[in-house]
Amino acid sequence: MTLPYPRSDERRRMVDLQIAARGISDPRVLAALRDVPRHIFVPSPYDRDAYADTPLPIGNGQTISQPYIVALMTELIRPTSMDIVLEIGAGSGYQAAILSTLVRKVITIERIEKVAAHAHANLVAVRADNVEIILGDGTLGYPPSAPYNGIIITAATPEIPDPLKAQLAEGGRLVAPVGGRSLQDLVVIERHGDRFTEEHHGGVRFVPLIGKYGWEEE
């Protein structure tokens, strides 16, 4: 998919210098980062820095992750064209838009109504018509569309919520920032029956995951 938006040179530089140069190698993931216009998902005046290697504010105390982290989390779930993927924390919709080019369907859950509305508008703008936004507590997952081949949690959780583990398909992979409110470890689990293997991919910083199986709102 090639979208008719400007700043394509900036996207190419972003992928070459920030993403591929740091070890992301899945060609489908790299193509998605080149095609999806990140500046659409970043409000003014921060959109001028949309292709910088940094997270940016999107309002309501939320942020859009830096492009490298989006690419890394996407690659870690090993997406295929037939997958159904669950995202916890829609934010501005950018992660869901990237996933939409790679998988069959994306369910993204957002607890803040205003943020969900902005994500919806952004996803419509880039024609990501295989994304469904659910308003609610993301720590509970979304059983009606389970099981999921991949789950991405885009907020910091003290531990991986049990409902999300239960909704992961056999062989499915879940990636999440696990730890405290200020610093986390990027963790991947993979399901094998009732057993889950675990990988660790370094320190990250995300806003807290608020919900029944996450953090309490301050």
Side-chain angles (χ1 to χ4, degrees):
M1 178 178 73
T2 301
L3 294 166
Y5 292 100
R7 304 180 68 172
S8 58
D9 287 344
E10 291 179 76
R11 290 196 293 281
R12 283 193 293 269
R13 285 195 298 272
M14 176 189 76
V15 171
D16 291 346
L17 301 179
Q18 301 172 31
I19 298 171
R22 296 176 66 182
I24 303 300
S25 60
D26 186 321
R28 297 178 68 240
V29 173
L30 296 176
L33 270 291
R34 290 190 189 99
D35 287 345
V36 176
R38 189 172 185 255
H39 63 277
I40 297 296
F41 298 86
V42 180
S44 179
Y46 306 106
D47 55 337
R48 64 192 176 198
D49 297 319
Y51 299 103
D53 187 26
T54 184
L56 294 167
I58 60 170
N60 295 279
Q62 306 299 300
T63 59
I64 181 174
S65 297
Q66 70 188 89
Y68 170 74
I69 292 296
V70 171
L72 176 61
M73 295 178 79
T74 303
E75 185 174 69
L76 286 173
I77 65 166
R78 300 175 185 168
T80 74
S81 61
M82 295 306 295
D83 286 350
I84 299 176
V85 172
L86 177 66
E87 180 194 25
I88 310 303
S92 68
Y94 180 64
Q95 175 73 77
I98 294 295
L99 290 168
S100 76
T101 72
L102 301 169
V103 303
R104 179 158 57 100
K105 185 172 183 179
V106 181
I107 304 290
T108 182
I109 306 178
E110 176 55 55
R111 70 182 183 90
I112 303 173
E113 186 172 2
K114 187 174 181 180
V115 173
H118 286 159
H120 175 73
N122 293 336
L123 290 163
V124 168
V126 299
R127 302 197 295 270
D129 55 8
N130 60 340
V131 179
E132 180 179 358
I133 300 176
I134 305 296
L135 188 65
D137 181 353
T139 70
L140 303 177
Y142 188 66
S145 294
Y148 299 99
N149 307 102
I151 299 176
I152 292 180
I153 304 177
T154 62
T157 180
E159 58 186 18
I160 296 173
D162 286 339
L164 299 183
K165 294 170 71 173
Q167 292 170 41
L168 195 60
E170 175 67 20
R173 289 168 67 85
L174 180 154
V175 58
V178 179
R181 281 180 175 265
S182 59
L183 183 63
Q184 307 88 39
D185 185 23
L186 193 62
V187 175
V188 178
I189 63 170
E190 185 173 308
R191 184 170 194 168
H192 304 279
D194 293 330
R195 184 174 63 90
F196 294 87
T197 59
E198 190 170 297
E199 305 169 2
H200 295 258
H201 292 271
V204 289
R205 292 180 185 271
F206 280 77
V207 297
L209 177 67
I210 307 299
K212 181 177 180 179
Y213 294 91
W215 297 97
E216 292 185 0
E217 192 162 13
E218 291 183 327

